[in-house]
Amino acid sequence: MKRSFRLMRAPLLAAALMAATVALSANAADVKSGLKIAFVPKQINNPYEVIADDGGMAAIKEMKGDGKVVGPSDAGASSQVSYINTLITQRQNAIVIAANDANALVPYLKKAMSQNIKVVTFDSDTAPDGRQIFVNQVESEAIGRGQIQLLSKLIGGEGEFAILSATPNATNQNTWIKFMQDELKKPEYSKMKLVKIAYGNDDDQKSFVETQGLLQAYPNLKGIIAPTTVGIAAAARYIQSSPAKGKVMVTGLGTPNQMRAFIKNGTVKAFQLWDPGQLGYLAAYAAANLASGTITGKEGDSFEAGKLGKRTVGKSGEVILGPPTTFDSSNIDNFNF
Ligand code: RAM
């Protein structure tokens, strides 16, 4: 009995191995090699965008494609237009873009799609008719509500707070803020008051000055939520050498590497983010699959995304990376991005 069982195991194992090999090779064969895929970040000098783009370039290399990153140095609403036009002329196979505005880019992206250039938004979406797929870091609702829940914990559920956002047009921040405002309507936050939404334009210096302005205008301020990696780092830098240190809680979305010093010196207690590198990596796989014709971007389409495994397109062409991480002094040293 035992023996015959053993005898049966070898072929089963061989079959399993063969199936795995077939699955792996089918995976690689899904995507055409030599695809020209261009990443257009919100702005090229934003450390968050650099990590995301690097993730995208790594994925394109794995797929034997031809990747590049081009983009503006400011996150202005129409600063990406000229780059899109050039990429159309160059006949790229796909454009992967973190959109600086929900509507301003749509006519240009539509032109790209009409010439069979696939368009993926990531990080910050356009209106759905401007792209085939949106690769979202986390469900927008979870990010927005999560930010209020985190601040509430930090300030004991009570007090005035402000939001220091990116640009007034940023689709991602605006969507998150809408959910923050909705979360605030719940009775448990009745003692928390949002006094102002300020915009640092994802510019370090402007975000720094806006923080100073908030503290001057609202002497009773208990917290600042900056749902932008540029904003939170600038706000923390201002607060760490001001009398507000320890009194005004800064939280939001930041990269562990930019925020580590502020966690260590007690200026910031906790903040959140996902892995931007994985976001870019996933977006590149989505783009390559669109350009290879393995998916069209409709709900239910699925594709293999390298080390991230199989991913499925959800409602209105959205693909979600995964849940965010909350960073504090207990875990920040486990992350390096
Ligand atoms: C900034 C940008 C980006 C956003 C992160 C959290 O780097 O605004 O779009 O996703 O913050």
Side-chain angles (χ1 to χ4, degrees), residues 141-182:
E141 177 164 359
I143 299 178
R145 295 193 191 282
Q147 294 274 287
I148 293 293
Q149 289 154 11
L150 180 57
L151 180 70
S152 172
K153 270 194 210 146
L154 294 170
I155 64 172
E158 203 169 328
E160 294 184 353
F161 74 98
I163 293 174
L164 174 66
S165 190
T167 64
N169 304 302
T171 330
N172 52 346
Q173 273 89 11
N174 286 347
T175 311
W176 301 332
I177 291 170
K178 208 179 72 207
F179 285 114
M180 288 185 212
Q181 287 170 316
D182 194 64

Side-chain angles (χ1 to χ4, degrees), residues 42 46 48-49 123-124 137 166 172-173 176 202 227-230 253 273-274:
K42 276 184 167 179
N46 173 342
Y48 169 97
E49 305 278 332
D123 181 44
S124 186
Q137 32 271 56
N172 52 346
Q173 273 89 11
W176 301 332
D202 268 349
T228 136
T229 59
V230 180
L253 302 172
L273 202 71
W274 43 89

Side-chain angles (χ1 to χ4, degrees), residues 164-165 200-212 215 224 226 228-242 250-251 253-255 258-259 262 267-268:
L164 174 66
S165 190
N201 290 353
D202 268 349
D203 174 271
D204 174 73
Q205 205 44 43
K206 180 156 170 43
S207 305
F208 188 84
V209 171
E210 289 292 328
T211 306
Q212 183 179 29
L215 293 177
I224 295 176
T228 136
T229 59
V230 180
I232 191 176
R237 200 171 75 248
Y238 182 81
I239 301 263
Q240 77 170 346
S241 51
S242 92
V250 175
T251 189
L253 302 172
T255 68
Q258 279 189 288
M259 299 305 290
F262 304 117
T267 308
V268 175

